[in-house]
Amino acid sequence: MKKRLGESRMTSGGKWTLVAIFAVLLIGTFLGGMNNQNRISDEAKKEVKAADEKKEDVEEKEPEIKSADLKASTSETIENNLKLYDKNIDKVVVKDKTLIVTYKDSAFWSDNSLIEEYAYDSINLIEDLYPNPNFDLFAFERPTVMTDDDGNENIDTVFKSFYTRDTLDQINLDNFTDMVLVDRERYFQKADGYWLHPGIFLNVDKKLREGIRSPINFDNMDEARYNMRNGETNDAIDQPESIKKEKPIVAEPVQEEATATYDTQTLLPSMYNISQMYDQLSFKIDDLNAMVGTEGDKVTAPLSSLLFTLKEMIDPINKEITTLKQTNVPDELDATTQRLAANQVEMNRIYERLQTQFYSIDMQDYSDAEKLASDIKQNFNAMNKLAQPDISAYTTFIMQYADEQDS
C-alpha cells in the first residue's frame, strides 16, 4: 500500500513525548486538587471558627434583665436595668416619679417606619414598666439625624410623648398593645401629650397623619415633668392645608357615565382575587399559630421553612393591590386600596419579626420560652387581624356591576 502524499506518521519518540506531557498534566491537576482541598478545608475551619466566635458574642450580649425584673427597679437602678433589657436605649433620666427614656439613633427605612417603631417600642416598654410603683409618668424621646436648609446634619429629638399612671389605669395594656401594633396612631391618640417634629410628621402617610392629628409645639411641653401647661392642647399648631379634611366631592347624577370610565376587566379580577387570597392567608396563619407552644423550657413551633408559605401568599396580594393602585377607580375603592396597602406594609414588618423569632428557635437562642411563644402568638394574631380587612367597598362594586350586567 502506498503512503498518501503529505501524510505524517507519529514515531515512537513522539508517542512517548505525549505520554510524558499527559503525565505532567495529570500530576499537576492532582496536586492542584489537593491544594484546593486544603484551601477549602482551611476556609471551612475559618468559617467554623467565625461561627463559634459569633455564637460567643451572641451569648455574651444576651440580656441580663427580664421584663419581670423591671417591676422592682428603683430610681437608682432603673437606667442600668433598662439598658441591659433593651440595647436600643441610650439614656434614662428620673425626676421625682417621672421616668424619661431616650432611644438611640438607629437606621430606619422611612419616616413611616421611624414613627411606627417609636410608637410600638414605647407601648411595649410601658407595658413592662407600668407594674413598677416607683414611677407615675413614663416619657419617651427619639433622636435621629436631621438635615437643615443649609445641608448640615445634626442629631435632633424628633419625637416626645408621655403617659401618666392615671391614664394607664383606664387602659387594658394587653389588648391596647395589640391595637397599637395594628394602628400606630392609637398610641398618640391615648397619650397624655406628644410632640412630633414637623419635618417627620408631614412626610408620613396621610392616614397616619390624620389619625395622629397635628403635633403640639415643642415649647408647650413642660420638660421638667412632661405635663401640658394650662390651656395647651395637642392642636396648638394649626394643621397644614395638606392635612385638613377635604370637602366631600358630590357625585355626578349620571352614574352610567362615571362607571363607564373604569377598567372593570382589570378591577373585578383583582378585587375578587384579593378577597380569596385574604381568606386563604387567614386560615394559614391560624394553622401555624395553633402549632406554637412550649414543652418545659423549649418552644414548640412549626418548621421555620413553613413561614415561606406565608410570604408566598402575602406577595400575590401585594401585586393585586399594586394593580388597583395603578388603575383608575372610584374614591371609595381607592380609600380601601390605600388602607390595604398600609396593612400590607405592617404585615411584612410582622413577617420579618416572625422570621427573627423562628431563627431564635432554630438556634435555641432564647432565655424565656413562655415569653417567646407568647410574642410569636401575638405577632400571628396581629397578622391575622390584618388578613381580615374591611373590603365591603370591593364587594359593593362587584355586586353593582353584576346588577348592571343583568339589567
Side-chain angles (χ1 to χ4, degrees):
M1 181 179 296
K2 294 183 179 180
K3 182 180 176 182
R4 293 180 183 176
L5 184 64
E7 184 180 61
S8 63
R9 181 183 179 194
M10 183 177 290
T11 64
S12 60
K15 291 181 180 179
W16 283 113
T17 300
L18 286 177
V19 170
I21 293 173
F22 177 76
V24 170
L25 291 174
L26 183 64
I27 294 172
T29 302
F30 176 74
L31 293 177
M34 291 185 61
N35 290 335
N36 189 47
Q37 288 181 349
N38 290 335
R39 181 176 59 81
I40 295 174
S41 177
D42 291 341
E43 290 178 355
K45 290 178 181 178
K46 291 179 180 178
E47 290 177 359
V48 171
K49 183 178 179 181
D52 290 340
E53 291 175 352
K54 184 176 181 181
K55 184 176 180 181
E56 290 175 359
D57 290 340
V58 171
E59 292 175 351
E60 291 176 0
K61 295 178 181 178
E62 184 177 348
E64 302 175 14
I65 295 295
K66 299 179 181 179
S67 58
D69 299 324
L70 297 178
K71 297 178 182 179
S73 298
T74 65
S75 57
E76 290 78 19
T77 62
I78 187 64
E79 179 173 20
N80 183 62
N81 288 350
L82 276 174
K83 287 182 176 180
L84 291 174
Y85 179 64
D86 189 340
K87 62 181 178 59
N88 293 316
I89 292 176
D90 179 50
K91 182 176 65 174
V92 177
V93 175
V94 177
K95 296 180 179 179
D96 297 328
K97 299 190 77 174
T98 292
L99 182 67
I100 305 174
V101 177
T102 301
Y103 297 110
K104 293 179 180 178
D105 177 37
S106 58
F108 62 94
W109 292 105
S110 65
D111 293 327
N112 276 340
S113 64
L114 180 64
I115 196 170
E116 288 175 350
E117 288 178 9
Y118 169 82
Y120 192 62
D121 289 347
S122 298
I123 196 61
N124 270 298
L125 272 179
I126 287 175
E127 189 174 9
D128 294 329
L129 293 168
Y130 171 68
N132 191 321
N134 295 317
F135 308 101
D136 286 338
L137 189 147
F138 308 93
F140 304 91
E141 298 184 358
R142 173 64 159 89
T144 195
V145 176
M146 299 294 289
T147 305
D148 61 23
D149 294 337
D150 297 322
N152 299 313
E153 294 184 344
N154 296 291
I155 294 288
D156 293 329
T157 298
V158 291
F159 304 145
K160 300 178 76 172
S161 63
F162 70 96
Y163 274 74
T164 62
R165 184 169 295 277
D166 290 341
T167 297
L168 294 172
D169 287 341
Q170 310 301 317
I171 296 175
N172 182 324
L173 279 173
D174 287 338
N175 293 334
F176 185 63
T177 301
D178 291 339
M179 294 165 67
V180 172
L181 176 60
V182 177
D183 296 307
R184 294 299 201 275
E185 61 265 26
R186 291 180 182 272
Y187 171 82
F188 299 97
Q189 291 168 352
K190 288 291 184 180
D192 289 281
Y194 61 87
W195 175 84
L196 309 175
H197 193 291
I200 301 292
F201 180 72
L202 296 177
N203 288 325
V204 300
D205 286 343
K206 181 178 179 181
K207 175 181 178 292
L208 187 58
R209 287 202 312 266
E210 292 180 344
I212 296 175
R213 301 164 70 216
S214 60
I216 64 172
N217 191 302
F218 205 120
D219 295 333
N220 292 335
M221 183 178 286
D222 183 357
E223 295 184 61
R225 189 168 166 79
Y226 270 79
N227 283 333
M228 298 298 296
R229 292 174 180 168
N230 294 334
E232 301 296 349
T233 70
N234 284 344
D235 295 313
I237 295 179
D238 289 336
Q239 291 188 351
E241 291 297 326
S242 60
I243 301 174
K244 291 181 179 179
K245 190 173 182 180
E246 298 177 356
K247 294 181 179 180
I249 300 175
V250 179
E252 293 294 331
V254 182
Q255 294 183 355
E256 289 76 12
E257 293 181 359
T259 56
T261 62
Y262 302 129
D263 182 6
T264 55
Q265 297 299 317
T266 300
L267 296 180
L268 295 177
S270 288
M271 289 188 291
Y272 176 79
N273 290 339
I274 287 174
S275 174
Q276 297 300 307
M277 289 174 178
Y278 271 132
D279 286 342
Q280 296 169 9
L281 177 60
S282 180
F283 286 130
K284 189 63 179 180
I285 293 170
D286 281 337
D287 290 342
L288 295 179
N289 197 8
M291 299 169 68
V292 178
T294 58
E295 289 183 1
D297 60 348
K298 301 296 182 184
V299 176
T300 58
L303 295 175
S304 58
S305 58
L306 289 181
L307 280 178
F308 291 126
T309 60
L310 290 182
K311 189 64 173 173
E312 291 172 349
M313 300 171 80
I314 292 172
D315 287 346
I317 297 176
N318 292 338
K319 185 177 179 180
E320 296 292 354
I321 291 174
T322 299
T323 298
L324 291 180
K325 289 174 67 176
Q326 296 173 347
T327 307
N328 183 34
V329 298
D331 291 342
E332 62 272 16
L333 295 189
D334 182 61
T336 298
T337 302
Q338 294 300 329
R339 286 198 301 272
L340 295 185
N343 284 0
Q344 291 301 109
V345 172
E346 182 59 33
M347 191 175 292
N348 281 304
R349 285 166 52 81
I350 296 174
Y351 177 79
E352 291 175 1
R353 284 198 291 270
L354 285 169
Q355 278 188 310
T356 301
Q357 290 168 332
F358 271 66
Y359 179 76
S360 297
I361 296 174
D362 290 343
M363 301 299 294
Q364 297 292 303
D365 183 21
Y366 54 88
S367 57
D368 190 335
E370 290 287 345
K371 185 177 186 307
L372 179 56
S374 175
D375 290 345
I376 291 174
K377 283 186 168 293
Q378 283 186 2
N379 281 328
F380 273 133
N381 289 334
M383 181 179 283
N384 206 0
K385 291 178 182 177
L386 295 171
Q388 302 177 53
D390 179 9
I391 54 174
S392 56
Y394 289 172
T395 305
T396 300
F397 184 85
I398 293 174
M399 295 301 293
Q400 287 177 348
Y401 178 81
D403 292 340
E404 291 172 4
Q405 292 297 104
D406 291 339
S407 62

